[in-house]
Amino acid sequence: MIDARIPGGSRLPSERTLADALEVSRTTTTRAYEELRERGLLTSVRGSGSVVTLPLSESSTSAILPTESSSVTISLAQAATHAAPGLGGAFQRALERLPALLSTNGYLPDGYRPLRELIADRYAEQGLPTDPSQIIVTGGAQGALAIAAATLVRRSDRILVEACGYPHAFDTFDGVGGRLVPLPYAETPWTTSDVRRTAAGTSLAMLVPDFHNPTAALMPESQRHDIARALRRAGVTTVIDETLRGTNLDGIAMPPPYATADPEAITIGSLSKVLWGGLRIGWIRAPHQLVSPFVQTRMRLDLASAAFDQVVAVEALQSHLTDAHLERLRSQRDGLVAAVRARLPGFDVPVPAGGLSLWVGLPRRVSSKLVASADAQGLRLLPGSRFYSSRGADGEDHLRVPFTEPPPVLAEAVDRLERAWRAVDGDLPQDAHVDRRTIDLIA
């Protein structure tokens, strides 16, 4: 459980069923369950079975599965996953390297050399030759973006961004005084003709071409070259967020990294989406001439990333822990899609090939109202408008629903979402009973 092989919210078999399956006495399984309950790892409710409850669940922002009588809020406001199965083992193996690490001063402003080499090798495998000296390890992708913005943006600089995109990126550029210039939003977050027209007068562009957040759109290879050409001609420096590139749930053929079309592009990556957000490891792949300015900026911001976490990242990457993690996410995605389609047939629910959430189309422009109604039901979501740089009424026809929680939690979330929608749609009082059919759809 601590190793995340059994996610929080999972329902365990009965003591008798487990004893039969393991061919041990029921006394053995009873004692094991009692020990788990004493350690706060298991909650048992008569008639409902036993559910995994990991430490810190009730005091953290993570969603947890409530019992029938609980009013615990489920939070799907973050598209953040539980730890990849086996990550605890990577921490244990990293301890073997700790003595050598402790013999240094622990400050690694550009990053742990073995980790930078691994990241560079992964780029090379994707067709983008990269020297380890081009890699700067950061405190997650957000830390990488903060370094890039603080280095490259001056107050009142015009920043080309996607009209619909990652809200914390918009906040970061706002924080350094940049002026956002959003692309018009059409069928995709990027239209090449709009990039050509909008790029004039901007100094920096920020794009998320790989399983875009929140739409999960994937920019084709030919368009990468067209957009890169347009931005270079306009003299625009490009920052590419590849945080979700590793969440290829269906194993589709991926276009080469954007920087193969523009070698001067700055690329940001992270392990948060494919391993665990608590492992604050991100990076910048920078053109050689920007490595030193970026390192100097990060020395002003946070000096360095945690050395031990970087060792853990090496162990995790070498152990290919992402495979089982993606399989689990794919199963959760498929279950959530089936449940929302069955319970809310008026919703448009595309199946994303990658990413961590569904970008659900609503029958009416009531996203903010639906989110408020869901909050009254104990379900926290973000309205579609939160993902628009305009901060206006755009996005009211969509809702982002992450599939990062275990199936029982997602089941309860769809129950509450259905109740919230019917309250908004005038079909069901907010205190009406909602049955448990979703458990069967997702589990």
Side-chain angles (χ1 to χ4, degrees):
M1 295 177 185
I2 293 296
D3 197 24
R5 296 179 187 272
I6 304 178
S10 298
R11 195 174 300 279
L12 299 188
S14 68
E15 296 165 9
R16 183 186 301 279
T17 300
L18 183 60
D20 292 342
L22 298 178
E23 297 182 347
V24 299
S25 71
R26 186 178 177 186
T27 301
T28 300
T29 56
T30 298
R31 288 177 178 172
Y33 276 33
E34 287 177 353
E35 181 177 345
L36 291 172
R37 283 190 286 269
E38 290 173 358
R39 295 174 62 187
L41 298 174
L42 197 67
T43 299
S44 299
V45 178
R46 185 178 299 276
S48 298
S50 298
V51 175
V52 175
T53 51
L54 299 180
L56 300 182
S57 291
E58 294 185 4
S59 60
S60 71
T61 58
S62 298
I64 63 173
L65 176 68
T67 62
E68 293 294 330
S69 60
S70 175
S71 59
V72 171
T73 295
I74 294 174
S75 176
L76 296 183
Q78 292 181 313
T81 73
H82 293 233
L87 186 58
F91 274 88
Q92 293 173 345
R93 292 189 299 274
L95 286 172
E96 298 176 7
R97 303 194 191 193
L98 189 58
L101 197 63
L102 292 175
S103 67
T104 73
N105 64 17
Y107 288 100
L108 306 167
D110 55 353
Y112 183 50
R113 176 74 187 194
L115 178 57
R116 291 190 288 122
E117 290 175 347
L118 268 178
I119 295 170
D121 288 345
R122 288 160 73 93
Y123 279 119
E125 291 168 1
Q126 299 175 68
L128 180 60
T130 301
D131 189 274
S133 65
Q134 292 180 259
I135 304 298
I136 304 165
V137 180
T138 64
Q142 192 63 29
L145 183 60
I147 291 170
T151 305
L152 301 173
V153 179
R154 299 294 176 263
R155 185 163 297 279
S156 297
D157 279 356
R158 289 161 54 86
I159 314 299
L160 187 150
V161 297
E162 298 145 345
C164 174
Y166 182 50
H168 291 304
F170 304 150
D171 296 341
T172 297
F173 290 127
D174 281 340
V176 294
R179 296 168 55 196
L180 302 184
V181 180
L183 290 167
Y185 184 81
E187 294 182 359
T188 74
W190 337 269
T191 301
T192 305
S193 59
D194 289 331
V195 172
R196 293 193 187 103
R197 184 171 58 255
T198 310
T202 63
S203 62
L204 189 74
M206 167 77 182
L207 302 174
V208 185
D210 299 292
F211 303 128
H212 172 265
N213 182 12
T215 69
L218 184 64
M219 185 186 292
E221 181 178 1
S222 59
Q223 190 180 22
R224 295 172 189 236
H225 286 274
D226 292 342
I227 288 179
R229 191 178 304 114
L231 292 174
R232 286 199 305 272
R233 286 175 178 171
V236 176
T237 301
T238 306
V239 176
I240 298 297
D241 183 349
E242 288 186 346
T243 302
L244 290 165
R245 184 175 173 88
T247 61
N248 187 356
L249 303 181
D250 290 338
I252 63 174
M254 293 289 291
Y258 181 95
T260 59
D262 180 6
E264 296 302 303
I266 299 152
T267 302
I268 288 171
S270 172
L271 297 181
S272 297
K273 306 303 185 184
V274 295
L275 285 176
W276 183 43
L279 192 65
R280 302 305 304 145
I281 297 297
W283 60 84
I284 300 173
R285 180 196 180 275
H288 289 284
Q289 71 272 16
L290 285 176
V291 171
S292 180
F294 282 161
V295 171
Q296 291 174 16
T297 297
R298 83 89 43 92
M299 293 288 285
R300 297 199 308 269
L301 297 177
D302 64 1
L303 294 180
S305 300
F308 183 68
D309 283 6
Q310 296 181 66
V311 178
V312 173
V314 170
E315 291 291 341
L317 289 173
Q318 291 178 336
S319 302
H320 304 285
L321 297 186
T322 59
D323 295 344
H325 193 46
L326 293 180
E327 181 179 349
R328 184 170 73 185
L329 288 169
R330 181 169 57 250
S331 176
Q332 291 170 189
R333 176 204 63 186
D334 293 345
L336 182 60
V337 167
V340 175
R341 285 178 173 175
R343 300 289 290 276
L344 295 156
F347 286 21
D348 178 26
V349 191
V351 182
L356 298 177
S357 57
L358 308 181
W359 187 235
V360 177
L362 302 177
R364 294 191 280 127
R365 296 177 59 81
V366 290
S367 184
S368 295
K369 187 175 181 181
L370 177 57
V371 167
S373 179
D375 191 67
Q377 302 296 334
L379 172 63
R380 288 181 184 159
L381 294 162
L382 293 180
S385 56
R386 177 67 177 100
F387 298 90
Y388 277 76
S389 56
S390 62
R391 310 294 205 275
D394 291 329
E396 282 298 311
D397 55 350
H398 278 85
L399 182 71
R400 190 188 73 165
V401 186
F403 45 78
T404 50
E405 292 297 330
V409 177
L410 295 176
E412 177 65 24
V414 176
D415 278 351
R416 298 182 186 192
L417 180 60
E418 182 190 35
R419 181 183 295 187
W421 172 251
R422 292 192 179 180
V424 167
D425 210 32
D427 293 338
L428 182 71
Q430 289 200 26
D431 59 353
H433 173 72
V434 178
D435 63 44
R436 304 291 300 168
R437 288 175 294 151
T438 314
I439 292 287
D440 298 328
L441 285 169
I442 295 184

